Amino acid sequence: MLLGLVSCGGDPGGGPATPTQPFVPVATSMTLSSPSVTLASLGETTSLTATVKNQNGATMSNASVTWSTSDASVATVSSAGLVTSIENGSTTITAKSGSASATSAVTVAQVASTLEMTPTSHRFTVLGDTVSIAIAIRRALLFEVPP
């Protein structure tokens, strides 16, 4: 007579098998596409993207991300990470997913795009003549830069 014993799982002593818990990914780290952004005109936009990773270091492509700005008078951010400049200054954009978060420093620093002089020309007739010139500095969106 031949007798065989087959066991499936359990401990080596023949006890009951311990059920395996399903893996539940948890957001533990996050990075943004850019740690800092400079916008050179009002209304300029740029997109930030967040990469969320779980406790095993794997990317969580469907992770929910919420966006916020520390100063909405300088720049706003949409629910998709689109940053829009509002006024000169600095703000911090924060992305969060679960307990993970990341930030990007945003600077809005408009640059002059044109200078306009009035009068555009003047003819001096004698040595010592003077002329007053008005200069308007224009930004990219045609707003005058305050003196």
Side-chain angles (χ1 to χ4, degrees):
M1 173 172 200
L2 182 61
L3 182 63
L5 180 62
V6 177
S7 174
C8 184
D11 66 27
T18 304
T20 304
Q21 296 296 322
F23 176 72
V24 178
V26 176
T28 57
S29 69
M30 178 185 291
T31 57
L32 295 182
S33 54
S34 181
S36 64
V37 174
T38 299
L39 301 171
S41 64
L42 296 182
E44 184 176 353
T45 62
T46 190
S47 288
L48 293 174
T49 56
T51 300
V52 181
K53 295 196 174 186
N54 68 23
Q55 64 270 39
N56 291 339
T59 300
M60 298 175 64
S61 58
N62 293 325
S64 175
V65 176
T66 58
W67 297 87
S68 63
T69 179
S70 64
D71 190 346
S73 68
V74 173
T76 60
V77 63
S78 73
S79 61
L82 181 68
V83 179
T84 304
S85 65
I86 303 297
E87 186 56 64
N88 284 342
S90 297
T91 187
T92 300
I93 301 298
T94 302
K96 289 186 180 182
S97 182
S99 63
S101 66
T103 61
S104 180
V106 174
T107 301
V108 179
Q110 298 178 81
V111 293
S113 61
T114 61
L115 297 175
E116 295 176 7
M117 290 187 353
T118 307
T120 57
S121 66
H122 180 77
R123 183 180 186 103
F124 292 100
T125 56
V126 295
L127 188 62
D129 266 356
T130 61
V131 66
S132 293
I133 298 174
I135 298 176
I137 302 169
R138 304 245 182 238
R139 298 175 181 165
L141 293 179
L142 300 179
F143 296 105
E144 288 194 19
V145 176

